Amino acid sequence: MARKVGKRKTREKRILEPATYLVASEGTKTEVLYFQQMADGLSRKYQGYEDRVTVPNFDIEGMGTSNFRLIEDVVAYLRTSPRLFENIWLVFDKDDIPENYFDNAIKKAASLGWQTAWANDSFELWFLLHFEYLQSGIMREQYTEKLDMYMKKEGLEGYNKNDPRVTEILQNRRNSAIKNAQRLEESYEMNVPASQKNPCTTVHHLVREIIELERIIDKIKMQERYF
């Protein structure tokens, strides 16, 4: 007796959701904590306005892998995600990986239509730019030493990358960090590979985009006060 063949269950077609962001980082703590706090703050700003404006939605995922493995993991994540994201950002460091791995990962992400918030050499460079302009590459231990000094000046016991109070301190200095990061990025010729740009970071592009989302809702709230 022939086996009855049923219809294969088809997957529902996903529709691109506006103002949706997937921020996938190689780190599982520092970067996740930093961007999650920003996303949570943004969500609070938009509360009560869901029926009047498109509310940005962020998924912050710490993948625990870097470069091409990070790209592969994000591809797998997107394959099973019920959401079709409008914006995809990868966050990763140069670390000690081969230079061509780093450069090729950036190119591969761009070919997929994704954006990268990378740091050469360490994500802590972005933190340090909140307090000073760094013109020359330094050792990773020196990032910690410098941040330790600045955090003590802010009243903390020192720099603990997983302390949520660190992000709160940084929030008040975002404009300085963006200015320093932009200046640093523009100090290199366009054709210089990212692996050769040390120190340098593009994290400010993602942060600036989040700030722009904050300005949208702030503008709406201000208009309500006067009209």
Side-chain angles (χ1 to χ4, degrees), residues 68-120:
F68 271 100
R69 180 60 191 277
L70 175 61
I71 292 176
E72 292 171 359
D73 286 351
V74 171
V75 169
Y77 179 89
L78 294 173
R79 197 175 291 130
T80 59
S81 173
R83 171 167 285 155
L84 192 58
F85 295 92
E86 182 179 27
N87 306 280
I88 298 174
W89 283 84
L90 304 187
V91 182
F92 56 90
D93 299 344
K94 166 65 172 61
D95 291 329
D96 298 320
I97 62 169
E99 294 176 353
N100 62 311
Y101 282 29
F102 185 66
D103 295 328
N104 289 337
I106 295 171
K107 292 177 183 177
K108 178 62 177 178
S111 72
L112 294 170
W114 303 350
Q115 301 186 75
T116 52
W118 53 264
N120 188 0

Side-chain angles (χ1 to χ4, degrees), residues 184-222:
L184 192 55
E185 186 180 19
E186 292 173 353
S187 69
Y188 297 94
E189 296 292 335
M190 288 288 292
N191 60 344
V192 176
S195 61
Q196 300 299 312
K197 298 176 180 178
N198 183 15
C200 192
T201 181
T202 59
V203 174
H204 60 292
H205 293 294
L206 174 53
V207 173
R208 194 157 49 192
E209 191 159 333
I210 295 173
I211 291 175
E212 190 56 39
L213 293 171
E214 292 176 351
R215 287 175 178 162
I216 290 173
I217 191 63
D218 287 341
K219 184 177 180 180
I220 292 173
K221 289 180 178 180
M222 184 161 294

